């Protein structure tokens, strides 16, 4: 959240406390424009430099994964 976003997005997800997760943001061309490994269940990402468009957020943890989309204005 927020969606649509202009400068920052906040990502919250459920995971086991010791799980290491990878967060990736992919553009409509399938290019990974952001990737980070984290142990946190909340993360804030600057999308200021991203071109306007639709992006997919993919969160992959050891036991599960999820994805959602957001619009960059």
């Amino acid at each position: 959240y927020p969606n649509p976003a202009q400068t920052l997005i906040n990502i919250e997800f459920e995971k086991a406390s010791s799980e290491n997760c990878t967060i990736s943001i992919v553009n409509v061309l399938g290019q990974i424009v952001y990737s980070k490994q984290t142990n946190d269940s909340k993360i804030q990402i600057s999308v200021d430099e991203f071109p306007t468009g639709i992006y997919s957020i993919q969160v992959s943890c050891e036991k599960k994964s999820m994805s959602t989309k957001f619009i960059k204005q």
Side-chain angles (χ1 to χ4, degrees):
Y1 63 89
N3 191 8
Q6 293 180 5
T7 57
L8 293 170
I9 58 170
N10 298 288
I11 301 171
E12 295 182 41
F13 52 95
E14 292 182 27
K15 68 174 195 69
S17 60
S18 61
E19 272 189 302
N20 194 21
C21 298
T22 301
I23 299 172
S24 301
I25 299 178
V26 181
N27 65 16
V28 293
L29 300 175
Q31 300 166 322
I32 297 173
V33 295
Y34 177 91
S35 184
K36 179 178 182 173
Q37 286 196 342
T38 184
N39 286 344
D40 296 327
S41 61
K42 292 182 182 179
I43 187 168
Q44 189 173 68
I45 299 170
S46 172
V47 295
D48 229 5
E49 308 268 328
F50 290 17
T52 300
I54 299 172
Y55 293 85
S56 175
I57 302 169
Q58 300 168 349
V59 180
S60 299
C61 301
E62 295 167 20
K63 295 183 180 175
K64 65 179 179 178
S65 62
M66 63 173 226
S67 65
T68 189
K69 293 184 179 185
F70 78 96
I71 298 169
K72 165 61 167 79
Q73 288 187 327

